[in-house]
Amino acid sequence: MRLALYEPDIPGNAGTCIRLCACLGIGIDIIEPCGFILSDARMKRAGMDYALRATIRRHADWADFVATRATEAPESRLVLATTRGALPYTAFAFRPDDVLLMGSESAGVPDAVHDAADARVRILMVPGMRSLNVAVAASMILGEALRQTGGFPAPSAPSQPPLSQPVLPEETSR
């Protein structure tokens, strides 16, 4: 499974998605041009040092992304997150080799990209709401896709042992 960002506009969102993918062991594709320089300090701050641990592929444009997919993963499906999707993401049957595509924050994706998707899913929201932050939407959909496919990384030892009972502040003697 991979996450793809189509011409992202906001460096903090791209950095957050890179961090998400690094933590979950998911590769990420960034389809340029971006609305910022990929070395932007705001993106680095959001991604922190996780960018060094993420599997990032940059694509010069949509055509480069399509060509790479055709060569490296021809059987994978392109699943577009879109407010125009008819199917809620929770009702979609994800596969382990799906590529989840998120549009740019300002414009989504053009019709040609929309039409190239194998599936279009959406997040149900209350009426009158336009959209969610792209990093929030990506985490929701990726979480469901990994839940369905069993693709979450193996659990690691917690950094602190879990507590067996609540810890209460010590009583002070009077």
Side-chain angles (χ1 to χ4, degrees), residues 2 28-32 34 36-39 56-61 64-65 68:
R2 295 187 67 82
I28 184 167
D29 295 277
I30 299 177
I31 304 163
E32 298 186 42
C34 298
F36 55 89
I37 297 170
L38 276 175
S39 62
I56 304 170
R57 276 197 303 224
R58 292 173 63 179
H59 303 276
D61 54 26
D64 181 48
F65 172 75
T68 300

Short mmCIF file of all heavy atoms in Angstrom, two decimals, residues 2 28-32 34 36-39 56-61 64-65 68:
data_model
loop_
_atom_site.label_atom_id
_atom_site.label_comp_id
_atom_site.label_asym_id
_atom_site.label_seq_id
_atom_site.Cartn_x
_atom_site.Cartn_y
_atom_site.Cartn_z
N ARG A 2 0.41 2.28 -0.69
CA ARG A 2 1.14 3.54 -0.74
C ARG A 2 0.15 4.69 -0.61
O ARG A 2 -1.03 4.53 -0.91
CB ARG A 2 1.91 3.68 -2.06
CG ARG A 2 3.02 2.64 -2.23
CD ARG A 2 3.87 2.90 -3.45
NE ARG A 2 4.66 4.11 -3.36
CZ ARG A 2 5.83 4.21 -2.73
NH1 ARG A 2 6.35 3.18 -2.12
NH2 ARG A 2 6.49 5.36 -2.71
N ILE A 28 5.35 6.69 0.26
CA ILE A 28 4.60 7.88 -0.14
C ILE A 28 5.14 8.41 -1.46
O ILE A 28 6.35 8.46 -1.68
CB ILE A 28 4.61 8.96 0.97
CG1 ILE A 28 3.73 10.15 0.58
CG2 ILE A 28 6.03 9.38 1.31
CD1 ILE A 28 3.44 11.11 1.72
N ASP A 29 4.21 8.77 -2.34
CA ASP A 29 4.54 9.38 -3.62
C ASP A 29 4.12 10.84 -3.57
O ASP A 29 3.00 11.15 -3.18
CB ASP A 29 3.78 8.68 -4.76
CG ASP A 29 4.23 7.24 -4.93
OD1 ASP A 29 5.24 7.03 -5.60
OD2 ASP A 29 3.54 6.35 -4.38
N ILE A 30 5.02 11.73 -3.98
CA ILE A 30 4.69 13.14 -4.07
C ILE A 30 4.72 13.52 -5.54
O ILE A 30 5.77 13.44 -6.19
CB ILE A 30 5.66 14.00 -3.23
CG1 ILE A 30 5.55 13.58 -1.76
CG2 ILE A 30 5.37 15.48 -3.43
CD1 ILE A 30 6.48 14.28 -0.84
N ILE A 31 3.55 13.88 -6.04
CA ILE A 31 3.40 14.23 -7.45
C ILE A 31 3.52 15.73 -7.58
O ILE A 31 2.70 16.48 -7.06
CB ILE A 31 2.04 13.72 -8.00
CG1 ILE A 31 1.92 12.21 -7.75
CG2 ILE A 31 1.90 14.08 -9.47
CD1 ILE A 31 0.51 11.67 -7.86
N GLU A 32 4.56 16.17 -8.23
CA GLU A 32 4.83 17.60 -8.39
C GLU A 32 4.12 18.15 -9.62
O GLU A 32 3.63 17.38 -10.43
CB GLU A 32 6.34 17.80 -8.47
CG GLU A 32 7.03 17.32 -7.17
CD GLU A 32 8.50 17.61 -7.14
OE1 GLU A 32 8.90 18.71 -7.55
OE2 GLU A 32 9.25 16.73 -6.70
N CYS A 34 4.74 20.99 -6.60
CA CYS A 34 4.18 21.30 -5.29
C CYS A 34 3.99 22.82 -5.19
O CYS A 34 4.62 23.56 -5.93
CB CYS A 34 5.13 20.85 -4.18
SG CYS A 34 5.40 19.07 -4.15
N PHE A 36 5.13 24.53 -2.93
CA PHE A 36 6.21 24.93 -2.03
C PHE A 36 7.45 24.16 -2.45
O PHE A 36 7.38 23.23 -3.25
CB PHE A 36 5.86 24.61 -0.57
CG PHE A 36 5.51 23.17 -0.35
CD1 PHE A 36 6.48 22.23 -0.05
CD2 PHE A 36 4.19 22.74 -0.48
CE1 PHE A 36 6.15 20.89 0.11
CE2 PHE A 36 3.85 21.41 -0.32
CZ PHE A 36 4.83 20.49 -0.02
N ILE A 37 8.59 24.56 -1.92
CA ILE A 37 9.83 23.84 -2.17
C ILE A 37 9.89 22.69 -1.17
O ILE A 37 9.68 22.88 0.03
CB ILE A 37 11.03 24.79 -2.01
CG1 ILE A 37 10.93 25.90 -3.05
CG2 ILE A 37 12.34 24.04 -2.14
CD1 ILE A 37 11.91 27.04 -2.85
N LEU A 38 10.16 21.49 -1.66
CA LEU A 38 10.11 20.31 -0.79
C LEU A 38 11.05 20.39 0.41
O LEU A 38 10.84 19.72 1.40
CB LEU A 38 10.39 19.03 -1.57
CG LEU A 38 9.17 18.45 -2.27
CD1 LEU A 38 9.55 17.27 -3.12
CD2 LEU A 38 8.11 18.05 -1.28
N SER A 39 12.04 21.23 0.34
CA SER A 39 12.94 21.37 1.49
C SER A 39 12.47 22.48 2.44
O SER A 39 13.18 22.84 3.36
CB SER A 39 14.37 21.68 1.01
OG SER A 39 14.37 22.91 0.30
N ILE A 56 10.10 7.79 0.25
CA ILE A 56 9.49 8.86 -0.54
C ILE A 56 9.92 8.73 -1.99
O ILE A 56 11.11 8.59 -2.28
CB ILE A 56 9.92 10.25 0.00
CG1 ILE A 56 9.58 10.39 1.48
CG2 ILE A 56 9.30 11.36 -0.83
CD1 ILE A 56 10.19 11.61 2.14
N ARG A 57 8.93 8.79 -2.88
CA ARG A 57 9.22 8.87 -4.31
C ARG A 57 8.65 10.17 -4.83
O ARG A 57 7.46 10.44 -4.63
CB ARG A 57 8.60 7.70 -5.07
CG ARG A 57 9.43 6.46 -5.06
CD ARG A 57 9.01 5.50 -6.14
NE ARG A 57 7.61 5.15 -6.00
CZ ARG A 57 7.13 3.92 -6.12
NH1 ARG A 57 7.91 2.93 -6.39
NH2 ARG A 57 5.85 3.69 -5.99
N ARG A 58 9.48 10.95 -5.46
CA ARG A 58 9.03 12.20 -6.08
C ARG A 58 8.81 11.96 -7.56
O ARG A 58 9.58 11.26 -8.21
CB ARG A 58 10.07 13.29 -5.88
CG ARG A 58 10.21 13.71 -4.44
CD ARG A 58 11.35 14.66 -4.22
NE ARG A 58 11.17 15.91 -4.95
CZ ARG A 58 12.02 16.91 -4.91
NH1 ARG A 58 13.10 16.83 -4.16
NH2 ARG A 58 11.80 18.01 -5.59
N HIS A 59 7.74 12.54 -8.08
CA HIS A 59 7.41 12.42 -9.50
C HIS A 59 7.32 13.83 -10.07
O HIS A 59 6.66 14.69 -9.48
CB HIS A 59 6.07 11.69 -9.69
CG HIS A 59 6.06 10.34 -9.06
ND1 HIS A 59 6.55 9.23 -9.69
CD2 HIS A 59 5.64 9.93 -7.83
CE1 HIS A 59 6.42 8.18 -8.88
NE2 HIS A 59 5.87 8.58 -7.75
N ALA A 60 7.94 14.05 -11.20
CA ALA A 60 7.98 15.39 -11.81
C ALA A 60 6.59 15.90 -12.14
O ALA A 60 6.34 17.10 -12.09
CB ALA A 60 8.85 15.38 -13.06
N ASP A 61 5.68 14.97 -12.45
CA ASP A 61 4.31 15.36 -12.79
C ASP A 61 3.42 14.11 -12.82
O ASP A 61 3.89 13.01 -12.52
CB ASP A 61 4.27 16.09 -14.15
CG ASP A 61 4.93 15.31 -15.28
OD1 ASP A 61 4.98 14.06 -15.23
OD2 ASP A 61 5.40 15.95 -16.23
N ASP A 64 4.59 11.21 -15.08
CA ASP A 64 5.68 10.43 -14.50
C ASP A 64 5.15 9.45 -13.46
O ASP A 64 5.57 8.29 -13.39
CB ASP A 64 6.71 11.38 -13.88
CG ASP A 64 7.89 10.64 -13.28
OD1 ASP A 64 8.46 9.76 -13.94
OD2 ASP A 64 8.24 10.96 -12.12
N PHE A 65 4.21 9.89 -12.64
CA PHE A 65 3.59 9.02 -11.64
C PHE A 65 2.89 7.84 -12.32
O PHE A 65 3.06 6.68 -11.92
CB PHE A 65 2.59 9.82 -10.79
CG PHE A 65 1.76 8.98 -9.86
CD1 PHE A 65 2.30 8.44 -8.70
CD2 PHE A 65 0.43 8.74 -10.14
CE1 PHE A 65 1.53 7.68 -7.83
CE2 PHE A 65 -0.36 7.97 -9.29
CZ PHE A 65 0.20 7.44 -8.13
N THR A 68 5.45 5.37 -13.74
CA THR A 68 6.09 4.60 -12.67
C THR A 68 5.17 3.50 -12.16
O THR A 68 5.59 2.36 -11.97
CB THR A 68 6.52 5.53 -11.51
OG1 THR A 68 7.43 6.50 -12.02
CG2 THR A 68 7.17 4.76 -10.38
#
